[in-house]
Amino acid sequence: MTKRLEGTVALVTGASSGIGAATARSLSAEGASVALLARRRERLEELAGAIRADGGTALVVEADITDQQQAEKAVSRVVTELGRLDTVVNNAGLMYIAPVADASTEDWDAMLQVNIQGLLYVTRAAVPHLLKAAEDSPRGVADLVNISSTAGRVARPNTAVYNLTKYGVNGFTEALRQELVPKRVRVSVVEPGTVDTELSSHLREGVRQAVETQTKDMEMLRPGDIADAVNYIVTRDRRVAVNEMLVRASEQTW
């Protein structure tokens, strides 16, 4: 049976763990050659080895997307070595939560740099290649998927700056979607709820304990659940555009 993404190339940021790694494997299983972009080369090499062992094609791209030149070079390398770029999944992100009054402004800067600037730099570098791919792809379409959060829909105490970044991702995604609609590049946003990843390990101890208490009776989403959402979006026929997908854990109320 023909795989739905056969002959295409996908780039996944934040691919060294969690949602990014799961998404890369899912897209590879559909036949896409995948470029794995993150800072942790050892993790990327391990994932690439697993994808190749399953018969897929994987390119390791070590880069810091908060540096515009690195982001641009990373995208350029993907196109040079894999020949094209049909799908981009902007997954890299940080979550630091704390009351505004005593939050670390360094944490704020880090979130703004990764969640906003990194996403912008990769998107800006990738869009010309996505436009070209949409013109000559047998599928007749290219895809850009931004991974946001329920925090892009629901503001809560202690998450103000994280909310700021994710509301921003949602607004940027919708505006870009409208720009690229006539050119057959679909732009989508996925808003995961509580996912069992290492993201919460970045939190300081007291905040982490509060989050763990809040979610202790909840069966959290798994990274593969969000990978499934991305896979669904990018494998639709060109007549179908899934602009937004909200995926919460079954017991999650916020």
Side-chain angles (χ1 to χ4, degrees):
M1 185 174 67
T2 302
K3 296 180 178 180
R4 290 178 289 186
L5 298 179
E6 196 76 50
T8 70
V9 173
L11 167 63
V12 182
T13 72
S16 59
S17 65
I19 293 170
T23 298
R25 297 194 72 152
S26 178
L27 297 178
S28 175
E30 286 287 356
S33 298
V34 291
L36 314 173
L37 195 162
R39 291 179 295 180
R40 295 179 290 185
R41 185 174 191 88
E42 185 176 333
R43 293 266 194 106
L44 295 178
E45 293 286 3
E46 182 180 348
L47 175 59
I51 289 172
R52 292 167 188 152
D54 288 337
T57 298
L59 173 68
V60 170
V61 184
E62 181 185 2
D64 179 357
I65 61 170
T66 67
D67 181 306
Q68 185 174 1
Q69 287 190 337
Q70 288 191 46
E72 291 173 349
K73 287 180 179 178
V75 172
S76 178
R77 183 184 166 204
V78 172
V79 176
T80 298
E81 297 197 23
L82 296 180
R84 57 188 298 116
L85 184 57
D86 301 84
T87 304
V88 173
V89 182
N90 279 313
N91 165 73
L94 293 175
M95 179 182 72
Y96 297 124
I97 60 178
V100 168
D102 66 352
S104 163
T105 55
E106 291 181 359
D107 288 350
W108 289 356
D109 290 343
M111 283 194 289
L112 291 168
Q113 288 163 3
V114 175
N115 299 0
I116 298 295
Q117 288 181 316
L119 181 146
L120 292 177
Y121 293 154
V122 171
T123 299
R124 177 63 185 83
V127 163
H129 302 291
L130 294 174
L131 291 169
K132 184 175 185 302
E135 291 176 355
D136 64 17
S137 169
R139 300 187 68 238
V141 70
D143 284 282
L144 174 69
V145 182
N146 292 329
I147 305 300
S148 181
S149 168
T150 52
R153 278 174 164 256
V154 181
R156 306 181 75 231
N158 303 329
T159 64
V161 178
Y162 185 61
N163 285 132
L164 170 69
T165 66
K166 294 304 184 178
Y167 271 81
V169 168
N170 287 7
F172 173 74
T173 301
E174 172 57 17
L176 184 61
R177 182 192 71 80
Q178 294 180 37
E179 287 184 26
L180 299 184
V181 158
K183 300 173 182 177
R184 292 184 296 164
V185 176
R186 299 182 296 204
V187 183
S188 308
V189 64
V190 177
E191 298 149 320
T194 303
V195 184
D196 188 8
T197 70
E198 64 182 39
L199 201 63
S200 62
S201 67
H202 303 149
L203 303 176
R204 65 192 192 194
E205 186 174 352
V207 175
R208 185 173 64 252
Q209 289 173 343
V211 171
E212 290 172 353
T213 298
Q214 185 180 41
T215 59
K216 67 182 178 64
D217 296 323
M218 177 190 300
E219 183 178 2
M220 291 189 285
L221 296 167
R222 300 168 186 171
D225 297 326
I226 307 307
D228 286 346
V230 175
N231 194 308
Y232 180 84
I233 288 170
V234 304
T235 56
R236 297 308 90 198
D237 187 272
R238 67 176 294 263
R239 72 181 181 278
V240 180
V242 182
N243 303 142
E244 182 177 17
M245 191 177 290
L246 174 63
V247 186
R248 285 188 175 105
S250 293
E251 293 92 357
Q252 185 172 344
T253 57
W254 62 91

PDB file of all heavy atoms in Angstrom, residues 39-74:
ATOM      1  N   ARG A  39      18.744  20.867  19.696  1.00  0.00           N
ATOM      2  CA  ARG A  39      20.101  21.156  20.150  1.00  0.00           C
ATOM      3  C   ARG A  39      20.830  19.926  20.667  1.00  0.00           C
ATOM      4  O   ARG A  39      22.058  19.899  20.689  1.00  0.00           O
ATOM      5  CB  ARG A  39      20.056  22.221  21.256  1.00  0.00           C
ATOM      6  CG  ARG A  39      19.636  23.594  20.757  1.00  0.00           C
ATOM      7  CD  ARG A  39      19.580  24.606  21.873  1.00  0.00           C
ATOM      8  NE  ARG A  39      18.533  24.275  22.844  1.00  0.00           N
ATOM      9  CZ  ARG A  39      18.262  25.003  23.921  1.00  0.00           C
ATOM     10  NH1 ARG A  39      18.964  26.092  24.172  1.00  0.00           N
ATOM     11  NH2 ARG A  39      17.299  24.643  24.738  1.00  0.00           N
ATOM     12  N   ARG A  40      20.095  18.891  21.088  1.00  0.00           N
ATOM     13  CA  ARG A  40      20.721  17.729  21.724  1.00  0.00           C
ATOM     14  C   ARG A  40      21.050  16.666  20.682  1.00  0.00           C
ATOM     15  O   ARG A  40      20.241  15.795  20.379  1.00  0.00           O
ATOM     16  CB  ARG A  40      19.812  17.188  22.822  1.00  0.00           C
ATOM     17  CG  ARG A  40      19.628  18.172  23.971  1.00  0.00           C
ATOM     18  CD  ARG A  40      18.714  17.630  25.048  1.00  0.00           C
ATOM     19  NE  ARG A  40      17.337  17.543  24.606  1.00  0.00           N
ATOM     20  CZ  ARG A  40      16.325  17.184  25.401  1.00  0.00           C
ATOM     21  NH1 ARG A  40      16.566  16.866  26.663  1.00  0.00           N
ATOM     22  NH2 ARG A  40      15.087  17.143  24.943  1.00  0.00           N
ATOM     23  N   ARG A  41      22.242  16.732  20.148  1.00  0.00           N
ATOM     24  CA  ARG A  41      22.623  15.875  19.028  1.00  0.00           C
ATOM     25  C   ARG A  41      22.545  14.391  19.385  1.00  0.00           C
ATOM     26  O   ARG A  41      22.104  13.576  18.561  1.00  0.00           O
ATOM     27  CB  ARG A  41      24.033  16.222  18.554  1.00  0.00           C
ATOM     28  CG  ARG A  41      24.426  15.447  17.309  1.00  0.00           C
ATOM     29  CD  ARG A  41      25.752  15.849  16.721  1.00  0.00           C
ATOM     30  NE  ARG A  41      25.911  15.243  15.419  1.00  0.00           N
ATOM     31  CZ  ARG A  41      25.503  15.763  14.285  1.00  0.00           C
ATOM     32  NH1 ARG A  41      24.917  16.940  14.284  1.00  0.00           N
ATOM     33  NH2 ARG A  41      25.653  15.128  13.136  1.00  0.00           N
ATOM     34  N   GLU A  42      22.977  14.033  20.586  1.00  0.00           N
ATOM     35  CA  GLU A  42      22.981  12.619  20.961  1.00  0.00           C
ATOM     36  C   GLU A  42      21.569  12.038  20.890  1.00  0.00           C
ATOM     37  O   GLU A  42      21.359  10.932  20.376  1.00  0.00           O
ATOM     38  CB  GLU A  42      23.546  12.459  22.374  1.00  0.00           C
ATOM     39  CG  GLU A  42      23.694  11.011  22.799  1.00  0.00           C
ATOM     40  CD  GLU A  42      24.357  10.884  24.168  1.00  0.00           C
ATOM     41  OE1 GLU A  42      25.134  11.786  24.552  1.00  0.00           O
ATOM     42  OE2 GLU A  42      24.081   9.876  24.847  1.00  0.00           O
ATOM     43  N   ARG A  43      20.587  12.782  21.379  1.00  0.00           N
ATOM     44  CA  ARG A  43      19.196  12.327  21.327  1.00  0.00           C
ATOM     45  C   ARG A  43      18.726  12.214  19.872  1.00  0.00           C
ATOM     46  O   ARG A  43      18.004  11.282  19.503  1.00  0.00           O
ATOM     47  CB  ARG A  43      18.293  13.310  22.070  1.00  0.00           C
ATOM     48  CG  ARG A  43      18.523  13.372  23.581  1.00  0.00           C
ATOM     49  CD  ARG A  43      17.568  12.423  24.284  1.00  0.00           C
ATOM     50  NE  ARG A  43      17.527  12.682  25.711  1.00  0.00           N
ATOM     51  CZ  ARG A  43      16.519  13.287  26.338  1.00  0.00           C
ATOM     52  NH1 ARG A  43      15.461  13.701  25.652  1.00  0.00           N
ATOM     53  NH2 ARG A  43      16.549  13.462  27.638  1.00  0.00           N
ATOM     54  N   LEU A  44      19.108  13.180  19.055  1.00  0.00           N
ATOM     55  CA  LEU A  44      18.709  13.160  17.652  1.00  0.00           C
ATOM     56  C   LEU A  44      19.300  11.953  16.923  1.00  0.00           C
ATOM     57  O   LEU A  44      18.626  11.311  16.109  1.00  0.00           O
ATOM     58  CB  LEU A  44      19.134  14.446  16.951  1.00  0.00           C
ATOM     59  CG  LEU A  44      18.476  15.743  17.425  1.00  0.00           C
ATOM     60  CD1 LEU A  44      19.052  16.923  16.650  1.00  0.00           C
ATOM     61  CD2 LEU A  44      16.966  15.689  17.255  1.00  0.00           C
ATOM     62  N   GLU A  45      20.558  11.658  17.200  1.00  0.00           N
ATOM     63  CA  GLU A  45      21.209  10.516  16.556  1.00  0.00           C
ATOM     64  C   GLU A  45      20.513   9.207  16.944  1.00  0.00           C
ATOM     65  O   GLU A  45      20.348   8.310  16.110  1.00  0.00           O
ATOM     66  CB  GLU A  45      22.689  10.460  16.940  1.00  0.00           C
ATOM     67  CG  GLU A  45      23.537  11.607  16.412  1.00  0.00           C
ATOM     68  CD  GLU A  45      23.820  11.511  14.923  1.00  0.00           C
ATOM     69  OE1 GLU A  45      23.320  10.578  14.256  1.00  0.00           O
ATOM     70  OE2 GLU A  45      24.545  12.390  14.409  1.00  0.00           O
ATOM     71  N   GLU A  46      20.121   9.120  18.195  1.00  0.00           N
ATOM     72  CA  GLU A  46      19.418   7.921  18.653  1.00  0.00           C
ATOM     73  C   GLU A  46      18.081   7.759  17.920  1.00  0.00           C
ATOM     74  O   GLU A  46      17.722   6.662  17.465  1.00  0.00           O
ATOM     75  CB  GLU A  46      19.187   8.011  20.162  1.00  0.00           C
ATOM     76  CG  GLU A  46      18.514   6.800  20.765  1.00  0.00           C
ATOM     77  CD  GLU A  46      18.317   6.932  22.266  1.00  0.00           C
ATOM     78  OE1 GLU A  46      18.899   7.866  22.876  1.00  0.00           O
ATOM     79  OE2 GLU A  46      17.581   6.106  22.834  1.00  0.00           O
ATOM     80  N   LEU A  47      17.336   8.856  17.797  1.00  0.00           N
ATOM     81  CA  LEU A  47      16.060   8.813  17.101  1.00  0.00           C
ATOM     82  C   LEU A  47      16.260   8.500  15.624  1.00  0.00           C
ATOM     83  O   LEU A  47      15.514   7.686  15.040  1.00  0.00           O
ATOM     84  CB  LEU A  47      15.334  10.151  17.255  1.00  0.00           C
ATOM     85  CG  LEU A  47      14.022  10.318  16.490  1.00  0.00           C
ATOM     86  CD1 LEU A  47      13.002   9.267  16.902  1.00  0.00           C
ATOM     87  CD2 LEU A  47      13.463  11.722  16.695  1.00  0.00           C
ATOM     88  N   ALA A  48      17.246   9.116  15.009  1.00  0.00           N
ATOM     89  CA  ALA A  48      17.523   8.864  13.591  1.00  0.00           C
ATOM     90  C   ALA A  48      17.854   7.392  13.361  1.00  0.00           C
ATOM     91  O   ALA A  48      17.401   6.790  12.371  1.00  0.00           O
ATOM     92  CB  ALA A  48      18.666   9.752  13.111  1.00  0.00           C
ATOM     93  N   GLY A  49      18.622   6.817  14.273  1.00  0.00           N
ATOM     94  CA  GLY A  49      18.956   5.404  14.149  1.00  0.00           C
ATOM     95  C   GLY A  49      17.724   4.522  14.194  1.00  0.00           C
ATOM     96  O   GLY A  49      17.610   3.552  13.437  1.00  0.00           O
ATOM     97  N   ALA A  50      16.789   4.867  15.084  1.00  0.00           N
ATOM     98  CA  ALA A  50      15.554   4.081  15.200  1.00  0.00           C
ATOM     99  C   ALA A  50      14.706   4.212  13.936  1.00  0.00           C
ATOM    100  O   ALA A  50      14.123   3.221  13.459  1.00  0.00           O
ATOM    101  CB  ALA A  50      14.757   4.550  16.417  1.00  0.00           C
ATOM    102  N   ILE A  51      14.639   5.414  13.382  1.00  0.00           N
ATOM    103  CA  ILE A  51      13.866   5.624  12.153  1.00  0.00           C
ATOM    104  C   ILE A  51      14.481   4.865  10.989  1.00  0.00           C
ATOM    105  O   ILE A  51      13.785   4.204  10.197  1.00  0.00           O
ATOM    106  CB  ILE A  51      13.766   7.132  11.849  1.00  0.00           C
ATOM    107  CG1 ILE A  51      12.835   7.815  12.863  1.00  0.00           C
ATOM    108  CG2 ILE A  51      13.271   7.376  10.417  1.00  0.00           C
ATOM    109  CD1 ILE A  51      12.816   9.326  12.775  1.00  0.00           C
ATOM    110  N   ARG A  52      15.797   4.919  10.878  1.00  0.00           N
ATOM    111  CA  ARG A  52      16.478   4.193   9.791  1.00  0.00           C
ATOM    112  C   ARG A  52      16.320   2.691   9.949  1.00  0.00           C
ATOM    113  O   ARG A  52      16.168   1.972   8.957  1.00  0.00           O
ATOM    114  CB  ARG A  52      17.953   4.591   9.770  1.00  0.00           C
ATOM    115  CG  ARG A  52      18.181   6.037   9.351  1.00  0.00           C
ATOM    116  CD  ARG A  52      19.588   6.491   9.644  1.00  0.00           C
ATOM    117  NE  ARG A  52      19.757   7.927   9.419  1.00  0.00           N
ATOM    118  CZ  ARG A  52      20.634   8.680  10.060  1.00  0.00           C
ATOM    119  NH1 ARG A  52      21.449   8.147  10.975  1.00  0.00           N
ATOM    120  NH2 ARG A  52      20.716   9.975   9.795  1.00  0.00           N
ATOM    121  N   ALA A  53      16.341   2.217  11.176  1.00  0.00           N
ATOM    122  CA  ALA A  53      16.169   0.786  11.428  1.00  0.00           C
ATOM    123  C   ALA A  53      14.793   0.309  10.973  1.00  0.00           C
ATOM    124  O   ALA A  53      14.625  -0.870  10.616  1.00  0.00           O
ATOM    125  CB  ALA A  53      16.366   0.485  12.911  1.00  0.00           C
ATOM    126  N   ASP A  54      13.819   1.224  10.979  1.00  0.00           N
ATOM    127  CA  ASP A  54      12.474   0.897  10.521  1.00  0.00           C
ATOM    128  C   ASP A  54      12.300   1.115   9.019  1.00  0.00           C
ATOM    129  O   ASP A  54      11.191   1.027   8.495  1.00  0.00           O
ATOM    130  CB  ASP A  54      11.438   1.742  11.281  1.00  0.00           C
ATOM    131  CG  ASP A  54      11.283   1.302  12.729  1.00  0.00           C
ATOM    132  OD1 ASP A  54      11.601   0.136  13.036  1.00  0.00           O
ATOM    133  OD2 ASP A  54      10.845   2.132  13.557  1.00  0.00           O
ATOM    134  N   GLY A  55      13.409   1.462   8.350  1.00  0.00           N
ATOM    135  CA  GLY A  55      13.359   1.639   6.900  1.00  0.00           C
ATOM    136  C   GLY A  55      13.143   3.058   6.437  1.00  0.00           C
ATOM    137  O   GLY A  55      12.977   3.305   5.231  1.00  0.00           O
ATOM    138  N   GLY A  56      13.162   4.017   7.363  1.00  0.00           N
ATOM    139  CA  GLY A  56      12.934   5.408   7.001  1.00  0.00           C
ATOM    140  C   GLY A  56      14.210   6.172   6.713  1.00  0.00           C
ATOM    141  O   GLY A  56      15.320   5.661   6.881  1.00  0.00           O
ATOM    142  N   THR A  57      14.046   7.414   6.300  1.00  0.00           N
ATOM    143  CA  THR A  57      15.161   8.321   6.038  1.00  0.00           C
ATOM    144  C   THR A  57      15.120   9.453   7.050  1.00  0.00           C
ATOM    145  O   THR A  57      14.075  10.102   7.208  1.00  0.00           O
ATOM    146  CB  THR A  57      15.073   8.916   4.614  1.00  0.00           C
ATOM    147  OG1 THR A  57      15.145   7.855   3.660  1.00  0.00           O
ATOM    148  CG2 THR A  57      16.199   9.908   4.362  1.00  0.00           C
ATOM    149  N   ALA A  58      16.219   9.681   7.739  1.00  0.00           N
ATOM    150  CA  ALA A  58      16.267  10.725   8.767  1.00  0.00           C
ATOM    151  C   ALA A  58      17.565  11.514   8.661  1.00  0.00           C
ATOM    152  O   ALA A  58      18.638  10.935   8.475  1.00  0.00           O
ATOM    153  CB  ALA A  58      16.151  10.105  10.155  1.00  0.00           C
ATOM    154  N   LEU A  59      17.448  12.810   8.767  1.00  0.00           N
ATOM    155  CA  LEU A  59      18.596  13.710   8.748  1.00  0.00           C
ATOM    156  C   LEU A  59      18.689  14.419  10.091  1.00  0.00           C
ATOM    157  O   LEU A  59      17.714  15.038  10.533  1.00  0.00           O
ATOM    158  CB  LEU A  59      18.436  14.747   7.627  1.00  0.00           C
ATOM    159  CG  LEU A  59      19.486  15.870   7.571  1.00  0.00           C
ATOM    160  CD1 LEU A  59      20.849  15.306   7.193  1.00  0.00           C
ATOM    161  CD2 LEU A  59      19.044  16.956   6.581  1.00  0.00           C
ATOM    162  N   VAL A  60      19.828  14.332  10.753  1.00  0.00           N
ATOM    163  CA  VAL A  60      20.044  15.011  12.024  1.00  0.00           C
ATOM    164  C   VAL A  60      20.528  16.429  11.760  1.00  0.00           C
ATOM    165  O   VAL A  60      21.511  16.644  11.051  1.00  0.00           O
ATOM    166  CB  VAL A  60      21.075  14.251  12.881  1.00  0.00           C
ATOM    167  CG1 VAL A  60      21.497  15.086  14.091  1.00  0.00           C
ATOM    168  CG2 VAL A  60      20.494  12.914  13.336  1.00  0.00           C
ATOM    169  N   VAL A  61      19.821  17.413  12.322  1.00  0.00           N
ATOM    170  CA  VAL A  61      20.182  18.822  12.162  1.00  0.00           C
ATOM    171  C   VAL A  61      20.292  19.437  13.556  1.00  0.00           C
ATOM    172  O   VAL A  61      19.289  19.763  14.187  1.00  0.00           O
ATOM    173  CB  VAL A  61      19.144  19.583  11.321  1.00  0.00           C
ATOM    174  CG1 VAL A  61      19.603  21.023  11.101  1.00  0.00           C
ATOM    175  CG2 VAL A  61      18.903  18.889   9.989  1.00  0.00           C
ATOM    176  N   GLU A  62      21.502  19.596  14.025  1.00  0.00           N
ATOM    177  CA  GLU A  62      21.738  20.208  15.338  1.00  0.00           C
ATOM    178  C   GLU A  62      21.781  21.720  15.174  1.00  0.00           C
ATOM    179  O   GLU A  62      22.616  22.250  14.432  1.00  0.00           O
ATOM    180  CB  GLU A  62      23.046  19.697  15.929  1.00  0.00           C
ATOM    181  CG  GLU A  62      23.367  20.270  17.304  1.00  0.00           C
ATOM    182  CD  GLU A  62      24.728  19.837  17.812  1.00  0.00           C
ATOM    183  OE1 GLU A  62      25.444  19.122  17.080  1.00  0.00           O
ATOM    184  OE2 GLU A  62      25.086  20.225  18.948  1.00  0.00           O
ATOM    185  N   ALA A  63      20.892  22.428  15.834  1.00  0.00           N
ATOM    186  CA  ALA A  63      20.850  23.884  15.701  1.00  0.00           C
ATOM    187  C   ALA A  63      20.062  24.495  16.844  1.00  0.00           C
ATOM    188  O   ALA A  63      19.205  23.848  17.441  1.00  0.00           O
ATOM    189  CB  ALA A  63      20.221  24.286  14.365  1.00  0.00           C
ATOM    190  N   ASP A  64      20.363  25.751  17.124  1.00  0.00           N
ATOM    191  CA  ASP A  64      19.625  26.545  18.092  1.00  0.00           C
ATOM    192  C   ASP A  64      18.750  27.512  17.312  1.00  0.00           C
ATOM    193  O   ASP A  64      19.239  28.480  16.725  1.00  0.00           O
ATOM    194  CB  ASP A  64      20.599  27.305  18.998  1.00  0.00           C
ATOM    195  CG  ASP A  64      19.902  28.187  20.023  1.00  0.00           C
ATOM    196  OD1 ASP A  64      18.653  28.265  20.012  1.00  0.00           O
ATOM    197  OD2 ASP A  64      20.605  28.817  20.843  1.00  0.00           O
ATOM    198  N   ILE A  65      17.453  27.252  17.278  1.00  0.00           N
ATOM    199  CA  ILE A  65      16.566  28.050  16.428  1.00  0.00           C
ATOM    200  C   ILE A  65      16.352  29.466  16.942  1.00  0.00           C
ATOM    201  O   ILE A  65      15.779  30.302  16.235  1.00  0.00           O
ATOM    202  CB  ILE A  65      15.207  27.361  16.222  1.00  0.00           C
ATOM    203  CG1 ILE A  65      14.466  27.169  17.558  1.00  0.00           C
ATOM    204  CG2 ILE A  65      15.378  26.047  15.472  1.00  0.00           C
ATOM    205  CD1 ILE A  65      13.028  26.717  17.387  1.00  0.00           C
ATOM    206  N   THR A  66      16.796  29.765  18.166  1.00  0.00           N
ATOM    207  CA  THR A  66      16.684  31.140  18.655  1.00  0.00           C
ATOM    208  C   THR A  66      17.734  32.047  18.024  1.00  0.00           C
ATOM    209  O   THR A  66      17.678  33.267  18.180  1.00  0.00           O
ATOM    210  CB  THR A  66      16.802  31.216  20.188  1.00  0.00           C
ATOM    211  OG1 THR A  66      18.123  30.852  20.587  1.00  0.00           O
ATOM    212  CG2 THR A  66      15.802  30.286  20.850  1.00  0.00           C
ATOM    213  N   ASP A  67      18.675  31.450  17.314  1.00  0.00           N
ATOM    214  CA  ASP A  67      19.674  32.189  16.543  1.00  0.00           C
ATOM    215  C   ASP A  67      19.202  32.183  15.091  1.00  0.00           C
ATOM    216  O   ASP A  67      19.116  31.128  14.465  1.00  0.00           O
ATOM    217  CB  ASP A  67      21.040  31.509  16.683  1.00  0.00           C
ATOM    218  CG  ASP A  67      22.144  32.230  15.924  1.00  0.00           C
ATOM    219  OD1 ASP A  67      21.975  32.453  14.708  1.00  0.00           O
ATOM    220  OD2 ASP A  67      23.184  32.538  16.530  1.00  0.00           O
ATOM    221  N   GLN A  68      18.886  33.350  14.551  1.00  0.00           N
ATOM    222  CA  GLN A  68      18.286  33.407  13.222  1.00  0.00           C
ATOM    223  C   GLN A  68      19.168  32.767  12.160  1.00  0.00           C
ATOM    224  O   GLN A  68      18.677  32.041  11.287  1.00  0.00           O
ATOM    225  CB  GLN A  68      17.976  34.850  12.837  1.00  0.00           C
ATOM    226  CG  GLN A  68      17.235  34.961  11.505  1.00  0.00           C
ATOM    227  CD  GLN A  68      16.799  36.380  11.180  1.00  0.00           C
ATOM    228  OE1 GLN A  68      17.066  37.303  11.939  1.00  0.00           O
ATOM    229  NE2 GLN A  68      16.123  36.552  10.065  1.00  0.00           N
ATOM    230  N   GLN A  69      20.473  33.001  12.221  1.00  0.00           N
ATOM    231  CA  GLN A  69      21.369  32.428  11.220  1.00  0.00           C
ATOM    232  C   GLN A  69      21.383  30.908  11.297  1.00  0.00           C
ATOM    233  O   GLN A  69      21.375  30.224  10.259  1.00  0.00           O
ATOM    234  CB  GLN A  69      22.782  32.979  11.395  1.00  0.00           C
ATOM    235  CG  GLN A  69      22.939  34.423  10.957  1.00  0.00           C
ATOM    236  CD  GLN A  69      24.384  34.869  10.925  1.00  0.00           C
ATOM    237  OE1 GLN A  69      25.241  34.289  11.604  1.00  0.00           O
ATOM    238  NE2 GLN A  69      24.670  35.886  10.148  1.00  0.00           N
ATOM    239  N   GLN A  70      21.382  30.367  12.523  1.00  0.00           N
ATOM    240  CA  GLN A  70      21.344  28.917  12.663  1.00  0.00           C
ATOM    241  C   GLN A  70      20.038  28.347  12.123  1.00  0.00           C
ATOM    242  O   GLN A  70      20.022  27.290  11.486  1.00  0.00           O
ATOM    243  CB  GLN A  70      21.529  28.510  14.119  1.00  0.00           C
ATOM    244  CG  GLN A  70      22.933  28.706  14.660  1.00  0.00           C
ATOM    245  CD  GLN A  70      23.114  28.043  16.013  1.00  0.00           C
ATOM    246  OE1 GLN A  70      22.729  26.903  16.231  1.00  0.00           O
ATOM    247  NE2 GLN A  70      23.731  28.767  16.942  1.00  0.00           N
ATOM    248  N   ALA A  71      18.935  29.027  12.403  1.00  0.00           N
ATOM    249  CA  ALA A  71      17.638  28.557  11.905  1.00  0.00           C
ATOM    250  C   ALA A  71      17.618  28.550  10.381  1.00  0.00           C
ATOM    251  O   ALA A  71      17.161  27.584   9.751  1.00  0.00           O
ATOM    252  CB  ALA A  71      16.518  29.435  12.454  1.00  0.00           C
ATOM    253  N   GLU A  72      18.105  29.612   9.787  1.00  0.00           N
ATOM    254  CA  GLU A  72      18.115  29.697   8.327  1.00  0.00           C
ATOM    255  C   GLU A  72      19.018  28.643   7.711  1.00  0.00           C
ATOM    256  O   GLU A  72      18.650  27.999   6.713  1.00  0.00           O
ATOM    257  CB  GLU A  72      18.565  31.100   7.897  1.00  0.00           C
ATOM    258  CG  GLU A  72      17.549  32.184   8.225  1.00  0.00           C
ATOM    259  CD  GLU A  72      18.066  33.585   7.962  1.00  0.00           C
ATOM    260  OE1 GLU A  72      19.294  33.723   7.726  1.00  0.00           O
ATOM    261  OE2 GLU A  72      17.260  34.533   7.993  1.00  0.00           O
ATOM    262  N   LYS A  73      20.192  28.439   8.299  1.00  0.00           N
ATOM    263  CA  LYS A  73      21.123  27.430   7.781  1.00  0.00           C
ATOM    264  C   LYS A  73      20.546  26.029   7.931  1.00  0.00           C
ATOM    265  O   LYS A  73      20.755  25.162   7.077  1.00  0.00           O
ATOM    266  CB  LYS A  73      22.467  27.538   8.502  1.00  0.00           C
ATOM    267  CG  LYS A  73      23.284  28.758   8.099  1.00  0.00           C
ATOM    268  CD  LYS A  73      24.610  28.815   8.853  1.00  0.00           C
ATOM    269  CE  LYS A  73      25.428  30.032   8.435  1.00  0.00           C
ATOM    270  NZ  LYS A  73      26.698  30.126   9.203  1.00  0.00           N
ATOM    271  N   ALA A  74      19.829  25.803   9.026  1.00  0.00           N
ATOM    272  CA  ALA A  74      19.221  24.489   9.247  1.00  0.00           C
ATOM    273  C   ALA A  74      18.205  24.174   8.159  1.00  0.00           C
ATOM    274  O   ALA A  74      18.200  23.073   7.583  1.00  0.00           O
ATOM    275  CB  ALA A  74      18.567  24.441  10.622  1.00  0.00           C
TER     276      ALA A  74
END
